[in-house]
């Protein structure tokens, strides 16, 4: 993994990973503290900062990823291109670009802010809770994907009319439709009316 000021601050001097800390926020998205990642997701959940990325190809198809089976939260389900949490003090835009590269091996050729959404989604399978103030980003994926198998089990580009069928047939993350619906105005602006988003 590339070393950045944020990743360096979250690694110990001997190269082993410390506990991953998240930024806790109030209902307005103002930082109020930090919490360890797993603790922040244990019921009833602590409201924390997150991000969601939606990347599209030149045909206006959305890049979906199936989360790796080894992930402790929502393993093996389909979700948006990339999602995660900024480190404390890390800008959401920087975190979104960083995690897209770490998970998928690409840097978006365009990445734009698409608003925020606040939600509370329990995951019945794990008992974990997503209490998130989520920063949304849309952009373009124009490079060859090189997914990290520890993070990503599978990827696929889907057109708007294919998504409903796929969503009905396969498990998706609890937060997927919430973040997609919140990002739709920016997605339509990016992809144009003919893409059908």
């Amino acid at each position: 993994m590339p070393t950045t000021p944020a990743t360096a601050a979250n690694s110990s001097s001997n190269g082993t990973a410390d506990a991953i800390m998240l930024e806790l926020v109030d209902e307005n998205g103002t930082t109020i503290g930090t919490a360890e990642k797993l603790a922040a997701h244990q019921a009833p959940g602590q409201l924390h900062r997150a991000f969601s990325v939606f990347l599209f190809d030149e045909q206006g198809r959305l890049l979906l990823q199936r989360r790796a089976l080894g992930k402790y939260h929502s393993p093996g389900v389909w979700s948006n291109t990339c999602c995660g949490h900024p480190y404390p003090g890390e800008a959401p835009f920087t975190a979104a670009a960083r995690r897209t590269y770490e998970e998928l091996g690409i840097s978006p050729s365009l990445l734009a802010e698409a608003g925020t959404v606040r939600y509370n989604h329990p995951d019945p399978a794990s008992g974990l809770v997503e209490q998130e103030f989520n920063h949304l980003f849309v952009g373009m994926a124009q490079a060859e994907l090189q997914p990290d198998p520890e993070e990503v089990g599978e990827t696929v580009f889907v057109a708007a009319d294919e998504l409903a069928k796929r969503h009905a047939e396969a498990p998706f993350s609890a937060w997927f439709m919430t973040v997609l619906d919140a990002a739709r105005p920016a997605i339509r602006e990016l992809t144009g009316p003919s893409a059908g988003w």
Side-chain angles (χ1 to χ4, degrees), residues 82-116:
C82 179
C83 53
H85 310 92
Y87 293 125
E90 183 182 26
F93 181 92
T94 302
R98 172 180 58 79
R99 280 305 287 168
T100 300
Y101 180 76
E102 289 170 0
E103 291 189 8
L104 296 162
I106 62 167
S107 296
S109 54
L110 168 76
L111 193 63
E113 293 184 13
T116 60

Side-chain angles (χ1 to χ4, degrees), residues 106-178:
I106 62 167
S107 296
S109 54
L110 168 76
L111 193 63
E113 293 184 13
T116 60
V117 62
R118 193 266 196 244
Y119 53 78
N120 175 3
H121 286 299
D123 176 28
S126 67
L128 299 175
V129 178
E130 289 288 4
Q131 282 265 21
E132 293 188 330
F133 188 94
N134 198 306
H135 297 255
L136 308 170
F137 298 92
V138 300
M140 301 293 292
Q142 295 177 308
E144 184 178 346
L145 300 176
Q146 298 177 350
D148 177 349
E150 291 189 10
E151 297 287 345
V152 180
E154 190 177 348
T155 60
V156 66
F157 282 94
V158 297
D161 58 358
E162 298 172 300
L163 181 61
K165 181 174 187 287
R166 181 174 285 272
H167 193 263
E169 293 175 350
F172 272 69
S173 65
W175 61 87
F176 175 74
M177 287 309 298
T178 299

Side-chain angles (χ1 to χ4, degrees), residues 25-138:
V25 299
D26 65 16
E27 293 292 336
N28 298 313
T30 303
T31 303
I32 58 171
T34 60
E36 191 277 325
K37 183 178 179 181
L38 184 57
H41 288 89
Q42 290 174 335
Q46 299 177 72
L47 184 59
H48 58 275
R49 195 176 309 283
F51 64 82
S52 289
V53 177
F54 297 85
L55 297 184
F56 295 81
D57 67 8
E58 304 263 347
Q59 290 76 47
R61 298 179 304 167
L62 171 61
L63 174 59
L64 298 177
Q65 71 155 278
R66 186 172 61 80
R67 295 165 62 85
L69 292 173
K71 294 181 80 73
Y72 78 89
H73 191 346
S74 302
V77 301
W78 287 94
S79 200
N80 48 293
T81 308
C82 179
C83 53
H85 310 92
Y87 293 125
E90 183 182 26
F93 181 92
T94 302
R98 172 180 58 79
R99 280 305 287 168
T100 300
Y101 180 76
E102 289 170 0
E103 291 189 8
L104 296 162
I106 62 167
S107 296
S109 54
L110 168 76
L111 193 63
E113 293 184 13
T116 60
V117 62
R118 193 266 196 244
Y119 53 78
N120 175 3
H121 286 299
D123 176 28
S126 67
L128 299 175
V129 178
E130 289 288 4
Q131 282 265 21
E132 293 188 330
F133 188 94
N134 198 306
H135 297 255
L136 308 170
F137 298 92
V138 300

